[in-house]
Amino acid sequence: MSSIQDVQNEIIGEFEILGDDKESTIFYIMELGSNLPEFPDTERKDENIIKGCQSKVWLTAGMKEDKIQFLADSNTDITKGLISLLIRVLSGRTPQEIINAELSFIDKIGMGNIIGSQRSNGLAAMIKQMKLYALAYQAKQNA
Amino acid sequence: MPINIEEIRSQFPVLHQEVNGKPLVYFDNAATTQKPFSVMQAINGYYELDNSNIHRGAHTLADRATRYFENTRTAVKNFINAKEDAEIIFTKGTTESINLVAATFGRMEIGKGDEIIISTMEHHSNIVPWQMLSKEKGAILKIIPISEAGEIDIENFKKLLTEKTKLVSIVHVSNALGTINPVEEIIKLAHEVGAKVLLDGAQSTNHLEVDVQKLDCDFLAFSAHKLYGPTGLGVLYGKREILENMPPYQGGGEMIKEVSFEKTTYNDIPFKFEAGTPNIADVIAFGKAIEFIEELGKKAIKQHEDELLNYATKALNDIKGFIPVGTSKEKVSVISFNINGMHPFDVGMMLDANGIAVRTGHHCTQPLMQRLGLEGTVRASFSVYNTKSEIDQMVTSVAKIAKIKNK
Ligand SMILES: Cc1ncc(COP(=O)(O)O)c(C=O)c1O
C-alpha cells in the first residue's frame, strides 16, 4: 500500500490537472463524494455527528488487523467529496500513522480558496475527529 | 420615469469586479445592499473635515457635526413619515431596536400571563428577545401559523388575539421568503384589543413605501445597511407618547439631563435612548443613502425590482428540479428555492464558482424552515442595481447545476 505522502501527492496531481477553474474543481469534488461507500443507516445517529460542521457529517471508525477503517457520510455532496479525500488518505492506516499524518495536500491544492472559510473549519473538525479516533484506538491497544 | 441602470451601477464601485473569473453578480441584497459612492464619501468627508463629538461641543466643528447628524434624523423622519424627529432613535440595527423595546417597553408593560404574538416567519432577532422576556416575566409567546405558500391567514391571527395581548411583533416583509404581510390589518386588529405593534421593517423599508402614520404602527425597527447605508446602524421609530413613558435603555452620557450621586434625571426623547457617543460618521452617511433612494423614488425602484422578480421567477420555474419556496401573491424581489436532490450549500457554492453571490441556509429563520420541513434554501434577492442580464447569468447556472441531479 502506498504511503500517506504518496496518496497526498496523487491528489495534488489530480487537482493540478483541474487548474484554476473553480467550477470544474467543485464538480470534481462532488463526483468524488458520489463514490463514497454506502454508510449504514444504523450509524446515522446523533453521537456520530461531527460538531463544528455546518452541514451534517457522520463519522464512525472500526479496527481491522491493526488498521483503522473509517466510514462517513454527509447530507451535502461537496462535503461528501471532502470526506472521501480524507478517507482515501487516512483509512486503512495504523493509529500511529494517522496521529502523525500531516495533511499538507489541503493547503497545496488551495482547498481554503475552493471551499471557503466555513467549510474549511468543518474540514478541520473532520480531521480532528479522525485523529481522536486514532488516539482512542491507540490507547486501547496499549491498555 | 424609468431608472437609468447604467448610471446607477456606476455609483457602486463594488459591482465592477470579477469573482472566480466571472463578472460578479450580487444577489445577496436581502443580507446587505452595496453602498453608493456618496455614502462612502460622506464617511470619509466627516473624518476629513468635521470629526468632533456632537451635542456638547461649543466649537464650530462640533456644531457642524451635530447639524449633519441631526439632519439625518430629519431625513429618516421624512423617509418613514414620522410626526417628529424625536421619534427617531439611532441604534446598532434592527436587532438592537427590537431588544431596546423588549428591555424597556417590554419590561414595563408585560407581566405574568400577558401575551406576545409573533409569526412563524420571524427572523431570530424578532424571536429570541421575546422568548427571553417571556421567560423572565412568565408571559406567553404565541405564534401565528402560516400556509405552505408562506402567507399569514388573518383569521388565524384573529384567533390568537385576546385582551391579554400586550404586543404584536411582526415582520413586515419576510427575509427568507419575500412575503409581504398584511400589516395594516394586523395593526388595526391588535389595536382593537389594546395591544401595541412593533414592525420589523428590516426588509420592507428598502422595497416599499413605509408610512408609520398611515400604518399606525407603534414601533418600527430597521437597519441602515439594507438601505444602501453603513453597517452597524439602525433605527427605532416609536410614537412619542409611548417613548416618553418608557424607562431608559442604557445609562451613560447623552441620555441624562442632570446627574448627582443621589439622583439622575433623564434627557428627553430621543436622547434618553441614545446613551454614549453615537456612530456619528455612519449616521451622517446614512443621510446620503436615504438621499440616493429618494432621488430615484421608491416607486421606480419597486417597479424595477418587480420586473426582475417576475422575469427571474418565470425563467427559473421552467428549470427541471427547481422548487420555489415561498409563493405568496404579495412579494418583494426575493426568490427562495431549492434544487431537487441537492443541498442548498452545494448549490450556493456552485453559483459562487460562477461569480453569483446568493445566500444559502436557514436565513436566521430556523422555526420557519422547520415549519416548511426544509434544512434551508438558496435565496436570490434583487436590488435596484441588478439587471436582467445578471438574471440570465444566474438562470443559466441554476439550469446547469439542476441538471446534475435532474436529468
Ligand atoms: C427580517 C429581519 N429582521 C431582522 C434582521 C436583523 O438585522 P440586523 O442584523 O441588521 O440587526 C434582519 C437581517 O438579516 C432581517 O432580515
Side-chain angles (χ1 to χ4, degrees):
Chain A
M1 185 173 179
S2 39
S3 72
I4 286 184
Q5 197 49 55
D6 290 342
V7 179
Q8 294 201 77
N9 288 340
E10 251 174 58
I11 294 172
I12 293 165
E14 290 162 18
F15 277 78
E16 256 164 24
I17 294 169
L18 291 165
D20 276 346
D21 188 64
K22 200 162 169 180
E23 189 179 21
S24 40
T25 308
I26 289 174
F27 275 116
Y28 182 64
I29 294 174
M30 285 176 67
E31 194 154 305
L32 293 176
S34 61
N35 299 327
L36 208 59
E38 198 59 36
F39 190 77
D41 275 338
T42 47
E43 294 298 327
R44 217 178 300 262
K45 49 193 178 191
D46 282 357
E47 62 252 46
N48 286 335
I49 288 181
I50 299 178
K51 289 193 188 72
C53 297
Q54 230 198 4
S55 34
K56 278 206 181 93
V57 182
W58 296 270
L59 176 74
T60 65
M63 195 71 150
K64 212 162 105 192
E65 291 159 9
D66 291 341
K67 309 254 167 79
I68 296 181
Q69 309 290 334
F70 290 107
L71 272 178
D73 198 6
S74 170
N75 61 345
T76 90
D77 291 324
I78 292 171
T79 309
K80 268 171 97 157
L82 299 176
I83 303 169
S84 83
L85 286 171
L86 293 181
I87 287 188
R88 191 165 142 201
V89 176
L90 294 179
S91 203
R93 310 276 174 196
T94 64
Q96 195 58 50
E97 280 178 302
I98 296 168
I99 293 162
N100 291 346
E102 278 184 38
L103 300 182
S104 55
F105 80 98
I106 293 171
D107 280 344
K108 290 241 169 71
I109 63 180
M111 190 60 95
N113 277 334
I114 301 167
I115 61 174
S117 56
Q118 269 184 354
R119 274 189 147 120
S120 291
N121 290 341
L123 187 64
M126 289 181 225
I127 295 167
K128 193 172 150 205
Q129 192 59 37
M130 291 170 109
K131 293 210 172 205
L132 282 174
Y133 268 118
L135 280 168
Y137 275 113
Q138 193 183 51
K140 227 190 216 164
Q141 278 175 334
N142 296 341
Chain B
M1 205 180 68
I3 56 173
N4 178 347
I5 200 81
E6 281 317 310
E7 200 281 316
I8 292 172
R9 288 180 71 83
S10 72
Q11 298 182 45
F12 290 84
V14 78
L15 298 175
H16 307 279
Q17 62 177 297
E18 289 202 341
V19 166
N20 298 318
K22 312 271 163 50
L24 167 67
V25 172
Y26 186 79
F27 282 165
D28 195 14
N29 294 290
T32 198
T33 56
Q34 300 300 344
K35 324 302 172 200
F37 264 127
S38 58
V39 168
M40 296 177 237
Q41 276 165 350
I43 294 172
N44 265 338
Y46 164 74
Y47 286 120
E48 277 172 13
L49 298 170
D50 310 315
N51 178 50
S52 49
N53 211 331
I54 54 169
H55 295 143
R56 287 168 294 229
H59 56 85
T60 305
L61 254 54
D63 185 57
R64 210 154 61 203
T66 304
R67 210 151 12 92
Y68 294 162
F69 182 92
E70 290 302 324
N71 280 350
T72 297
R73 204 188 299 276
T74 308
V76 172
K77 180 208 85 173
N78 293 332
F79 184 67
I80 59 168
N81 193 33
K83 271 196 195 126
E84 45 177 322
D85 288 9
E87 295 177 322
I88 305 300
I89 298 160
F90 288 117
T91 64
K92 274 196 308 191
T94 309
T95 305
E96 191 180 37
S97 296
I98 297 172
N99 275 279
L100 190 161
V101 176
T104 57
F105 171 85
R107 281 248 181 86
M108 186 178 72
E109 291 290 336
I110 293 167
K112 199 169 159 54
D114 285 340
E115 295 167 0
I116 302 166
I117 298 179
I118 61 174
S119 84
T120 308
M121 62 177 101
E122 298 310 321
H123 188 280
H124 294 162
S125 64
N126 196 28
I127 302 174
V128 185
W130 309 119
Q131 277 175 336
M132 288 161 61
L133 183 73
S134 303
K135 199 162 167 222
E136 182 187 320
K137 295 285 189 173
I140 297 152
L141 194 58
K142 288 176 149 182
I143 317 293
I144 313 170
I146 57 160
S147 68
E148 211 54 45
E151 291 174 314
I152 286 174
D153 180 346
I154 209 85
E155 291 307 314
N156 286 325
F157 171 62
K158 276 188 195 160
K159 281 184 220 153
L160 297 180
L161 276 173
T162 72
E163 63 276 24
K164 294 236 153 188
T165 310
K166 286 284 167 2
L167 180 74
V168 177
S169 192
I170 188 156
V171 72
H172 191 175
V173 167
S174 157
N175 63 311
L177 307 176
T179 308
I180 304 172
N181 282 320
V183 294
E184 219 155 325
E185 228 180 324
I186 287 174
I187 292 165
K188 219 166 81 215
L189 289 164
H191 284 169
E192 279 171 18
V193 302
K196 300 284 186 256
V197 180
L198 185 157
L199 282 192
D200 173 350
Q203 299 290 343
S204 62
T205 37
N206 51 348
H207 298 291
L208 311 175
E209 293 279 359
V210 179
D211 179 331
V212 291
Q213 291 191 65
K214 193 159 148 240
L215 287 170
D216 197 28
C217 58
D218 301 287
F219 299 105
L220 173 73
F222 59 101
S223 300
H225 71 94
K226 295 185 199 276
L227 287 162
Y228 313 100
T231 54
L233 173 69
V235 170
L236 173 67
Y237 156 82
K239 287 179 181 163
R240 172 181 273 279
E241 60 274 21
I242 302 174
L243 293 179
E244 274 182 341
N245 285 321
M246 276 162 37
Y249 172 48
Q250 292 173 330
E254 288 265 335
M255 56 78 69
I256 51 90
K257 237 184 207 129
E258 249 179 292
V259 177
S260 71
F261 284 119
E262 289 71 42
K263 184 171 182 291
T264 293
T265 48
Y266 303 125
N267 206 337
D268 298 328
I269 62 165
F271 308 110
K272 182 168 88 174
F273 298 106
E274 291 179 354
T277 299
N279 188 352
I280 304 167
D282 287 336
V283 167
I284 291 172
F286 183 33
K288 293 291 170 193
I290 292 174
E291 225 167 75
F292 169 80
I293 294 172
E294 288 186 333
E295 267 166 25
L296 292 172
K298 278 231 182 132
K299 215 173 183 173
I301 295 175
K302 176 93 168 39
Q303 196 178 1
H304 176 68
E305 289 174 344
D306 283 350
E307 214 175 294
L308 296 177
L309 173 70
N310 295 334
Y311 183 72
T313 305
K314 192 159 171 292
L316 289 168
N317 273 326
D318 284 341
I319 295 171
K320 197 173 166 196
F322 175 82
I323 308 166
V325 180
T327 49
S328 168
K329 284 186 286 298
E330 299 292 331
K331 259 183 81 167
V332 301
S333 52
V334 168
I335 297 181
S336 238
F337 66 94
N338 270 308
I339 299 295
N340 177 45
M342 300 188 79
H343 196 283
F345 289 168
D346 291 344
V347 178
M349 194 162 271
M350 282 186 282
L351 286 173
D352 177 62
N354 281 293
I356 301 162
V358 293
R359 193 68 146 203
T360 60
H362 53 62
H363 316 296
C364 293
T365 56
Q366 283 181 352
L368 172 63
M369 293 299 134
Q370 281 155 21
R371 158 63 183 87
L372 299 173
L374 299 171
E375 264 194 61
T377 72
V378 182
R379 180 188 70 188
S381 48
F382 315 126
S383 189
V384 66
Y385 41 66
N386 290 127
T387 65
K388 281 192 180 165
S389 90
E390 288 181 308
I391 288 176
D392 292 339
Q393 198 176 324
M394 175 180 73
V395 171
T396 307
S397 293
V398 171
K400 192 164 148 197
I401 294 163
K403 228 178 181 163
I404 301 173
K405 295 284 171 83
N406 299 275
K407 295 237 160 64

